[in-house]
Amino acid sequence: MMTMILYFTSTARFWAIAGVPYNRVDAEILRRQIGNLTTDADFLIHLGDIKAGRSSCDGDRFEEVRQNMELLTVPVLMVIGENEYNDCEDNEEALRSWRRKFAHLHLHEKLENSHRNENYNGGMLDVSIMPGRNESFYFVLKKTLFIGLNIVCWWWNMPGG
């Protein structure tokens, strides 16, 4: 599998990644790529699927990914993918574990002194978390509204879905 990192330029500059790391090789490639990212982006967003479909949904897997994301010196936001929820035997436990590891990742301690921007609230993104659904969020940066929304595909696990 090839890891892909995309850089978008608009009013706000950010990195977007998805579908990685599915395994240890991907994790190592991602660590190297994180080390090569420039710090002139405003944030990085991971669009979900941090594990292969039916692979383990345990907290250890999520912790490993979290540690990689904390290597970044820009705020990191995560959107939950169907692999982290729908493809888990115990969906609710997987969601609780994901929330514990990623819902407030954009506030990790490395950012406090390393990434300051006049558009942030005290150097941090001013992210609003949806009450009771802390995997969903929104924020405004440079007059642009960004939304991370968890919409569960209810039909995914149905016969023929």
Side-chain angles (χ1 to χ4, degrees), residues 4 13 37 51 81 86 90 94 109 121-122 156:
M4 184 169 289
R13 295 181 300 178
L37 292 177
K51 59 175 223 55
N86 287 1
D90 185 343
E109 68 280 350
N121 176 19
W156 191 264

Side-chain angles (χ1 to χ4, degrees), residues 23-40:
N23 55 49
R24 299 243 185 254
V25 172
D26 284 352
E28 183 54 39
I29 292 168
L30 181 60
R31 268 191 296 280
R32 284 196 311 266
Q33 289 178 334
I34 285 172
N36 292 329
L37 292 177
T38 60
T39 58
D40 60 347

Side-chain angles (χ1 to χ4, degrees), residues 11-120:
T11 18
R13 295 181 300 178
F14 61 95
W15 292 93
I17 61 174
V20 294
Y22 276 6
N23 55 49
R24 299 243 185 254
V25 172
D26 284 352
E28 183 54 39
I29 292 168
L30 181 60
R31 268 191 296 280
R32 284 196 311 266
Q33 289 178 334
I34 285 172
N36 292 329
L37 292 177
T38 60
T39 58
D40 60 347
D42 294 302
F43 63 93
L44 178 137
I45 186 161
H46 193 298
L47 300 172
D49 290 351
I50 59 172
K51 59 175 223 55
R54 294 286 177 188
S55 64
S56 175
C57 296
D58 65 20
D60 292 342
R61 176 78 181 113
F62 294 165
E63 179 60 26
E64 180 182 331
V65 173
R66 179 186 173 90
Q67 288 173 5
N68 282 337
M69 295 295 108
E70 286 181 338
L71 297 172
L72 286 154
T73 56
V74 297
V76 177
L77 295 124
M78 302 280 291
V79 175
I80 192 168
E82 89 277 353
N83 291 359
E84 292 89 67
Y85 182 76
N86 287 1
D87 291 342
C88 294
E89 191 171 310
D90 185 343
N91 303 96
E92 293 307 311
E93 178 53 35
L95 181 59
R96 281 190 297 275
S97 183
W98 189 95
R99 285 174 172 167
R100 281 191 301 271
K101 300 296 181 186
F102 302 117
H104 300 285
L105 185 58
H106 62 282
L107 298 174
H108 75 82
E109 68 280 350
K110 239 182 138 173
L111 297 176
E112 291 187 19
N113 298 313
S114 63
H115 194 72
R116 294 285 182 223
N117 185 307
E118 66 277 1
N119 296 299
Y120 297 172

Side-chain angles (χ1 to χ4, degrees), residues 77-78 80 95 98-99 102-104 106 126-139 146-152:
L77 295 124
M78 302 280 291
I80 192 168
L95 181 59
W98 189 95
R99 285 174 172 167
F102 302 117
H104 300 285
H106 62 282
D126 190 10
V127 177
S128 295
I129 304 292
M130 183 177 173
R133 296 289 304 263
N134 62 2
E135 70 279 6
S136 297
F137 60 86
Y138 72 92
F139 62 96
F146 293 90
I147 300 171
L149 188 59
N150 177 19
I151 301 174
V152 177

